[in-house]
Amino acid sequence: LPLSNVSLMLSMRTMVDKARIGEIEGTIGFAIGEDGFVAEPGQGALPIRRGDPSEADVIFRAPIAAVIAGGLYAGVAWEELERGVGLSIEGDRDLALRYASMFSLPPKIG
């Protein structure tokens, strides 16, 4: 099934390592297709809202949500996504990679 832009944002709020949210200082923008979102991690929470990501400290740009999900959850190298499927990371790359490192899928059962 396709992953919608909103589903990706909701998954990040669910799959984030809440103990590490305080490590991130700054705003994270997402421009996915025509949709914009801004994440503002802090104090053990990860609020994400619809909005213009242009003022964020870093922006993940992708044509579809699955591209970003590939980096966050499937372990696809960000450089590979940038070369092959239209991802760009604009702004503070170190912040982007630290943010991305806070996400993982739970282990498979069985």
Side-chain angles (χ1 to χ4, degrees), residues 5 31-37 50 62-63:
N5 299 341
I32 307 169
E34 299 296 317
D35 291 334
F37 302 90
R50 283 190 179 270

Side-chain angles (χ1 to χ4, degrees), residues 7 12-13 29 40 50-51 63-64 66 68-69 77 94 98 107:
S7 293
M12 284 190 283
R13 290 176 51 192
E40 298 171 306
R50 283 190 179 270
I64 59 173
I68 296 171
D94 180 61
R98 284 187 292 119

Side-chain angles (χ1 to χ4, degrees), residues 27-104:
T27 54
I28 314 299
F30 298 90
I32 307 169
E34 299 296 317
D35 291 334
F37 302 90
V38 178
E40 298 171 306
Q43 299 182 4
L46 183 61
I48 301 174
R49 61 178 168 77
R50 283 190 179 270
D52 180 1
S54 65
E55 298 297 318
D57 296 305
V58 65
I59 303 171
F60 289 87
R61 288 191 189 276
I64 59 173
V67 170
I68 296 171
L72 292 178
Y73 302 126
V76 179
W78 294 104
E79 295 81 9
E80 183 179 332
L81 294 170
E82 288 172 301
R83 283 191 307 271
V85 290
L87 174 82
S88 67
I89 298 174
E90 303 169 8
D92 186 341
R93 187 174 184 86
D94 180 61
L95 175 62
L97 298 179
R98 284 187 292 119
Y99 177 83
S101 74
M102 295 193 311
F103 301 91
S104 63

